[in-house]
Amino acid sequence: MNPGSGDRFVAEFRRVERALPAARVPWVARARSLALERFADSGFPTPGDEDWKYTSLSRIEDRAFRALPFEAPGGAAPPGLAAGSAFDALPGHVIVFVDGRHAPALSRIGGLPAGVTVGSLADALESTPERLEAFLPDDTRHTVVGALNTAFMADGAFVHVPRGVVVTEPIHWLFIATRQDAALHPRNLLVAEEGAQATVVEHHADPGSVACLTNAVTQIFASRGSVVEHCKLQRQSTAAIHLAGIHALQGRGSRFTSHSIAVGAALARHDITATLDAEGCEAELNGLYLAEGRQHVDHHTRIDHARPGGTSREHYRGVLDGASRGVFNGRVLVHPGAQRTDAHQVNHNLLLSREAEVDTKPQLEIYADDVKCTHGATVGQLDEAQLFYLRARGLEEAAARSLLTHAFARDVIERIRASSLRDHVERLLLARLPGGARAWEPA
């Protein structure tokens, strides 16, 4: 860590702290204070820290990102919003945030089952902070960057699904960044009570080349027997920096699925954790990262098998072109007493250019003796024999490369259960393939 490297952010917090939601609520103020103290003591991590060995945050310190005053955006859509809001035509509920603030005029919440809450975290902090106290102060699984998010915690999505309720349509959280040099700290909370079911799509985009810092944290609490699917789609412009934490805590017999699709930002870092905190939990973490030019995308995952009988599956794939760099560090920790754990983890990477680079490190730490755990990783290029086969049958080189790259990435896309979202991610992939979507599209 580099103490003092975050002094500017500490000063920014002092400038805006009194205007943050629920600033006078004691537990909220204390959570922010402790988080800021943790960040101030450590500063931003450096490549000297093992978990940040391949990812430098120096560009954050090189630019004067500023916290925005807490104010709601206007009712009109920002210029170019239609191009960024890729979920407008999809079925389901859409809650929109512009520059980190809830925009009710742009949101579309349909009829929800009785008792379900889909709304603004800021509104909940101001009106019913007692509903959130059991969830939000916990920073134990967050990085020091996540602690910075807690300090600036202001707005984001709040979803609560009562016991036994099934939300059949997906809930879309759409975050749009429009202001240059803004520091945005969205905080999202999803609580699924016993037996509840919900699918949430968290989408970050911007309508142009917006050089901003997004530092987002999403907390998910999956109670006994609940089923939660969370899909994160990060497609900000290559002028942006995107840092994120996704943290799930699971109850007995719950099932949690995470999909992380990263195609945007100049620098992107995702820390994703799942804690199987009771018997019989299931966790599935899937990821696809596409990088080109000089993009840098980093995924650090951790699955904690804390109790017996847990099952986890992890499938990450990366496609890297130009002089881009990918990082994957996947850690599976089987705690003492977590017998009958069944864990499988794999990371595959495809390099499309000589300059592209990837660093992959799958890890298993096992402190129980009745387990079944496997892991693996590969880094390679397109198979020349397969390219030759396709070229010999009349395909142009760009089309052949697109076809093979599509087949490689599709393994992750097919794991997304929501068909409308799966189709959208497929279109994003086609647009990023060598030669673009025009080179080849599936029948």
Side-chain angles (χ1 to χ4, degrees):
M1 298 292 182
N2 181 17
S5 65
D7 288 349
R8 189 172 69 248
F9 283 84
V10 174
E12 282 288 284
F13 175 79
R14 299 303 181 199
R15 181 175 64 85
V16 302
E17 63 176 318
R18 293 185 180 181
L20 293 174
R24 293 184 175 86
V25 176
W27 71 262
V28 176
R30 176 172 173 76
R32 288 188 177 124
S33 177
L34 290 175
L36 186 71
E37 181 180 340
R38 179 186 170 195
F39 174 77
D41 287 345
S42 300
F44 283 108
T46 71
D49 302 297
E50 182 63 28
D51 282 346
W52 296 83
K53 182 177 180 180
Y54 302 110
T55 300
S56 171
L57 298 182
S58 60
R59 66 183 79 191
I60 295 178
E61 302 173 61
D62 295 340
R63 192 158 188 140
F65 294 109
R66 300 271 290 174
L68 299 178
F70 188 76
E71 57 187 21
L81 178 59
S85 57
F87 292 115
D88 278 355
L90 294 182
H93 313 280
V94 181
I95 182 167
V96 179
F97 298 84
V98 178
D99 295 323
R101 306 296 183 256
H102 181 214
L106 303 178
S107 303
R108 187 186 73 244
I109 307 297
L112 292 165
V116 174
T117 298
V118 177
S120 157
L121 185 75
D123 290 346
L125 281 170
E126 289 284 3
S127 61
T128 54
E130 65 279 0
R131 295 183 67 187
L132 310 180
E133 187 173 3
F135 307 107
L136 285 182
D138 180 17
D139 273 345
T140 56
R141 291 168 293 156
H142 300 183
T143 67
V144 69
V145 177
L148 183 65
N149 173 281
T150 297
F152 283 91
M153 176 178 62
D155 207 356
F158 172 47
V159 174
H160 181 268
V161 186
R163 178 176 180 177
V165 173
V166 177
V167 182
T168 56
E169 293 186 306
I171 303 168
H172 301 289
W173 305 340
L174 177 58
F175 293 87
I176 301 294
T178 70
R179 299 200 197 182
Q180 299 287 346
D181 296 321
L184 310 174
H185 302 275
R187 184 61 164 258
N188 307 308
L189 176 62
L190 167 60
V191 179
E193 292 189 4
E194 182 176 348
Q197 297 185 30
T199 296
V200 168
V201 180
E202 179 182 344
H203 181 200
H204 294 260
D206 58 56
S209 185
V210 179
C212 68
L213 167 65
T214 296
N215 175 27
V217 169
T218 295
Q219 291 180 265
I220 297 168
F221 293 84
S223 301
R224 179 182 182 129
S226 62
V227 179
V228 175
E229 182 175 19
H230 175 267
C231 182
K232 168 76 175 289
L233 176 56
Q234 188 282 111
R235 55 188 298 258
Q236 290 185 268
S237 76
T238 53
I241 297 172
H242 188 95
L243 311 176
I246 300 169
H247 307 291
L249 182 64
Q250 297 185 238
R252 185 183 182 95
S254 61
R255 188 165 79 241
F256 169 65
T257 304
S258 164
H259 309 282
S260 176
I261 312 297
V263 300
L267 168 65
R269 163 78 178 224
H270 297 83
D271 286 272
I272 303 173
T273 68
T275 303
L276 285 66
D277 203 35
E279 290 193 33
C281 295
E282 297 180 22
E284 181 180 353
L285 273 56
N286 304 311
L288 175 64
Y289 43 98
L290 309 176
E292 59 188 5
R294 303 196 66 84
Q295 286 182 282
H296 182 110
V297 56
D298 180 350
H299 280 89
H300 268 60
T301 69
R302 172 168 169 158
I303 300 176
D304 280 89
H305 286 267
R307 298 289 185 268
T311 300
S312 67
R313 296 291 182 265
E314 190 166 3
H315 305 89
Y316 269 75
R317 295 200 173 205
V319 179
L320 303 154
D321 204 350
S324 63
R325 185 171 189 177
V327 180
F328 174 81
N329 186 300
R331 184 181 178 193
V332 176
L333 178 58
V334 182
H335 291 256
Q339 307 295 353
R340 305 186 310 282
T341 288
D342 182 355
H344 174 70
Q345 177 195 83
V346 65
N347 173 230
H348 296 303
N349 296 276
L350 181 61
L351 305 183
L352 300 181
S353 72
R354 293 182 180 275
E355 293 77 24
E357 183 179 354
V358 67
D359 299 282
T360 179
K361 184 182 179 183
Q363 295 177 268
L364 290 177
E365 295 183 37
I366 302 172
Y367 301 98
D369 52 19
D370 180 13
V371 302
K372 183 170 65 174
C373 299
T374 60
H375 71 298
T378 62
V379 179
Q381 298 176 327
L382 292 174
D383 189 298
E384 291 296 331
Q386 292 178 348
L387 278 173
F388 178 80
Y389 177 88
L390 294 174
R391 293 292 306 281
R393 277 148 183 80
L395 284 182
E396 296 292 335
E397 182 174 359
R401 288 182 173 274
S402 292
L403 179 60
L404 293 176
T405 305
H406 177 271
F408 174 84
R410 190 170 174 79
D411 175 81
V412 172
I413 296 174
E414 289 181 336
R415 299 178 188 276
I416 301 174
R417 296 185 184 92
S419 60
S420 56
L421 174 61
R422 188 170 60 246
D423 292 343
H424 176 69
V425 174
E426 176 104 19
R427 289 193 294 273
L428 281 179
L429 170 63
L430 289 172
R432 292 288 293 268
L433 290 176
R438 293 182 301 276
W440 171 81
E441 292 190 24

